[in-house]
């Protein structure tokens, strides 16, 4: 899910779920996916670290 926070407006989300695209505007519905997204993003490697990992895995 992509998360959007327009200036001065409540947070919204956009998700592509199987064959359905959906804009989520209900704050209660946006809260959990936004928290998951933040958690996953916080665990992600930086672009340069990701590249180094791929190079290591490929033996380059």
């Amino acid at each position: 899910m992509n998360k959007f926070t327009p200036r001065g407006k409540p947070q919204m989300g956009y998700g592509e779920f199987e064959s359905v695209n959906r804009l989520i505007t209900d704050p209660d519905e946006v809260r959990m996916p936004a928290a998951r997204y933040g958690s996953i993003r916080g665990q992600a490697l930086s672009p340069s670290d990701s590249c180094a990992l791929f190079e290591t895995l490929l033996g380059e």
Side-chain angles (χ1 to χ4, degrees):
M1 182 185 92
N2 293 315
K3 168 179 87 149
F4 305 102
T5 308
R7 185 172 289 147
K9 306 271 183 177
Q11 190 175 61
M12 297 186 295
Y14 173 78
E16 296 177 2
F17 311 97
E18 295 182 18
S19 62
V20 177
N21 301 329
R22 185 168 170 226
L23 179 64
I24 304 167
T25 58
D26 181 341
D28 291 332
E29 283 188 63
V30 173
R31 190 172 295 117
M32 184 57 72
R36 285 185 193 135
Y37 176 80
S39 176
I40 291 168
R41 187 170 180 191
Q43 296 174 43
L45 297 174
S46 69
S48 60
D49 288 343
S50 293
C51 186
L53 176 61
F54 290 133
E55 289 173 348
T56 299
L57 293 172
L58 292 171
E60 296 180 6

